[in-house]
Amino acid sequence: PKNSNLDLLINYNDNEDENIIIYIDDNSNINITELRQGLNIQGKLKYIIINNSTLIINKFCNINNVDEIIDIELKGIDSNVEYYFSTLSVNNKKYKLNVYHKNINTKSNIYSRGISLISSNLEFDINGYIKRGSRESYLNQDSKIIMLEDNKSIIKPNLFIDEDKVEAKHSSIVGRFSEEELFYLKSRGISKETAIKLLVKAFLLGKLTIDDKTRYEILKIIDSHWRW
């Protein structure tokens, strides 16, 4: 509906091959929390945002094998999206996110965080498009993967800009927790294993704005994957 202010929780617990469209109408502010669990997922999820509307997504994914495509269309004037995503990777996971700026004064902030456990391969393929004529738009990508063991995790940040009067930027980091972070925690009497676990939780939850119940569920998921 138009002129809406809604907070929604979507909890996926089954294996799905999905094709879903979520439509955000005029003058709306929608906050969606997504918690995804299961064995396998393939499919496409599309969000369409119309005039003077804002969509905020906080998403945590705990799927064994993922090949997912997400499209976000900023179709209306003054349409905005804030996307906060975190995942733990044990097997092979590939997330592809496309953000399309299709009107003037559109704005996107995309934050992706991943922890790669054991010998998993985690891939973020993040693409931002600004169509010619979509002036005064803003596009930001901020992606980071932390590897706890050697693997082939990768981030592919891409910007496709066809308009001059815009601001577009991206940053991407694939690496490990710094020795300084670990040293600080160990200097407070915390073991290395516990320090890494604390850093994992802070890293995955740090960008998410979620309620206490959802936070507790995510902490349980993290604990269930711990191998040490």
Side-chain angles (χ1 to χ4, degrees):
K2 295 183 180 180
N3 306 304
S4 295
N5 292 277
L6 296 174
D7 294 319
L8 303 173
L9 171 63
I10 303 175
N11 197 333
Y12 302 85
N13 289 306
D14 298 319
N15 305 330
E16 298 184 25
D17 293 323
E18 62 181 25
N19 286 283
I20 299 171
I21 298 177
I22 297 176
Y23 188 90
I24 311 300
D25 213 337
D26 293 342
N27 304 309
S28 298
N29 292 286
I30 309 298
N31 190 335
I32 298 176
T33 299
E34 293 187 24
L35 182 58
R36 312 196 62 147
Q37 302 185 69
L39 296 177
N40 300 284
I41 188 168
Q42 290 183 322
K44 194 168 186 178
L45 180 59
K46 177 181 285 189
Y47 305 90
I48 301 174
I49 309 170
I50 310 301
N51 298 307
N52 194 36
S53 291
T54 296
L55 173 63
I56 300 173
I57 302 169
N58 288 276
K59 178 176 179 178
F60 183 85
C61 187
N62 179 46
I63 306 291
N64 283 1
N65 294 287
V66 177
D67 190 355
E68 181 181 55
I69 300 174
I70 297 172
D71 288 344
I72 301 174
E73 291 189 15
L74 297 165
K75 196 170 183 179
I77 299 171
D78 295 317
S79 54
N80 304 283
V81 65
E82 301 277 339
Y83 186 85
Y84 303 95
F85 173 73
S86 292
T87 186
L88 269 170
S89 179
V90 177
N91 297 316
N92 296 322
K93 295 186 178 183
K94 180 178 180 180
Y95 298 95
K96 184 172 184 178
L97 175 63
N98 302 308
V99 182
Y100 300 94
H101 291 250
K102 294 187 172 182
N103 217 319
I104 63 173
N105 201 34
T106 55
K107 182 178 179 180
S108 65
N109 279 295
I110 308 299
Y111 299 93
S112 303
R113 297 290 183 266
I115 293 285
S116 184
L117 295 169
I118 314 175
S119 57
S120 64
N121 297 318
L122 176 59
E123 180 178 323
F124 291 159
D125 187 356
I126 314 293
N127 302 291
Y129 301 82
I130 298 183
K131 181 181 177 181
R132 179 168 294 278
S134 300
R135 61 189 183 278
E136 309 303 331
S137 291
Y138 174 85
L139 185 160
N140 176 46
Q141 299 175 8
D142 184 337
S143 307
K144 190 171 184 178
I145 294 174
I146 295 293
M147 301 183 298
L148 298 187
E149 296 188 19
D150 292 336
N151 57 54
K152 297 180 180 179
S153 294
I154 187 172
I155 299 172
K156 299 177 181 178
N158 299 300
L159 301 178
F160 303 93
I161 311 301
D162 198 25
E163 172 61 47
D164 294 329
K165 296 181 179 180
V166 298
E167 182 179 353
K169 58 183 179 180
H170 66 74
S171 65
S172 60
I173 298 172
V174 178
R176 299 179 182 271
F177 291 124
S178 71
E179 290 300 322
E180 291 80 5
E181 291 173 307
L182 291 171
F183 176 79
Y184 175 81
L185 292 173
K186 289 192 292 183
S187 71
R188 297 301 187 269
I190 299 172
S191 70
K192 182 178 180 180
E193 293 177 1
T194 301
I196 291 174
K197 191 173 181 180
L198 288 172
L199 290 172
V200 166
K201 291 179 177 180
F203 179 77
L204 292 176
L205 291 168
K207 287 289 184 182
L208 300 180
T209 302
I210 52 180
D211 62 29
D212 289 341
K213 182 178 179 180
T214 304
R215 183 177 296 273
Y216 177 70
E217 288 298 316
I218 293 173
L219 289 173
K220 286 200 303 181
I221 291 169
I222 294 172
D223 287 337
S224 73
H225 281 286
W226 210 251
R227 302 296 181 179
W228 296 289

